[in-house]
Amino acid sequence: MPREDENAAVDTAAEIRGWCLGTLPDGWFAGPPEVTVDREEITVVGQLPPVPGESADGGESGKAEADAIAAGRSRRFREETREARIGIAREAERRFGRRVSWGVVTEGRKVMFTTLSVPVMTRLRQPERRVLDTLVEAGVARSRSDALAWCVRLVGEHEDSWLSALRDVLRQVEQVRAEGPARDQR
């Protein structure tokens, strides 16, 4: 029975990605958007098409200009596509039972419009709690929850290649399981 559930999750993620890619209007993004799926959320992030004459030069003023361009273009996209995105999100939420979050990449910056923050329960032993408490006492985080989120982001940033390789291997395992013989379902 776990195999069936695992395959259903894999099929559902592929189905959701396919549905999103087929549903999104042409022209919104420079290419296919990145569609990330977990148990609670569907995240759609697309690269905005380049606009001629809107590239910033290097240097400090170039960075400020690129930041301003990214903020303006992402805000404009958000406003211009709001009604259509709401309609697509409602349909996806009804169809797949997950919330939809949106974002864009422009001028090398990722701007998220909406994201879901999901509480996650965990059990920590004293040494791990002390790490969180140290981060709170040092002013790095406001609470243990913020400290744990900070730690997860830090690991994600510094171990991106390792996590990417791990996700690739897990996808391969899921594919092999899906192609293997079915277990007896008694």
Side-chain angles (χ1 to χ4, degrees):
M1 191 151 180
R3 185 183 186 290
E4 186 176 307
D5 292 345
E6 290 166 3
N7 285 340
V10 172
D11 292 344
T12 301
E15 178 186 356
I16 291 170
R17 283 186 194 95
W19 184 87
C20 288
L21 293 174
T23 302
L24 293 173
D26 295 334
W28 271 12
F29 304 119
E34 176 186 335
V35 179
T36 308
V37 179
D38 69 13
R39 289 180 280 189
E40 296 88 16
E41 183 176 25
I42 302 165
T43 305
V44 179
V45 179
Q47 173 76 45
L48 292 181
V51 176
E54 282 196 14
S55 62
D57 299 328
E60 198 58 39
S61 66
K63 182 183 176 323
E65 183 180 352
D67 288 344
I69 291 170
R73 293 197 68 220
S74 60
R75 190 176 312 113
R76 184 176 69 212
F77 177 86
R78 182 178 188 182
E79 293 305 318
E80 290 175 355
T81 62
R82 181 181 308 275
E83 292 304 315
R85 285 185 301 104
I86 289 171
I88 292 167
R90 283 186 180 145
E91 175 67 18
E93 289 168 11
R94 185 187 59 72
R95 186 176 184 129
F96 302 113
R98 292 173 171 90
R99 303 287 268 182
V100 179
S101 296
W102 300 90
V104 295
V105 177
T106 183
E107 296 297 318
R109 286 131 178 97
K110 185 180 203 177
V111 179
M112 297 301 297
F113 307 148
T114 55
T115 56
L116 192 60
S117 183
V118 179
V120 178
M121 298 299 294
T122 184
R123 297 185 187 282
L124 300 175
R125 292 189 169 26
Q126 187 179 37
E128 293 130 352
R129 291 191 312 267
R130 290 183 67 206
V131 169
L132 299 180
D133 291 341
T134 299
L135 292 171
V136 171
E137 291 166 11
V140 173
R142 293 175 297 176
S143 64
R144 283 181 171 177
S145 177
D146 285 345
L148 187 55
W150 182 85
C151 290
V152 169
R153 281 191 304 273
L154 186 66
V155 168
E157 289 171 10
H158 294 287
E159 297 297 330
D160 190 42
S161 62
W162 179 80
L163 290 172
S164 293
L166 184 59
R167 287 184 188 109
D168 290 342
V169 170
L170 288 173
R171 276 192 286 278
Q172 291 172 356
V173 168
E174 291 167 352
Q175 182 179 359
V176 169
R177 282 183 181 161
E179 295 170 356
R183 293 184 197 170
D184 189 11
Q185 305 270 337
R186 290 183 211 183

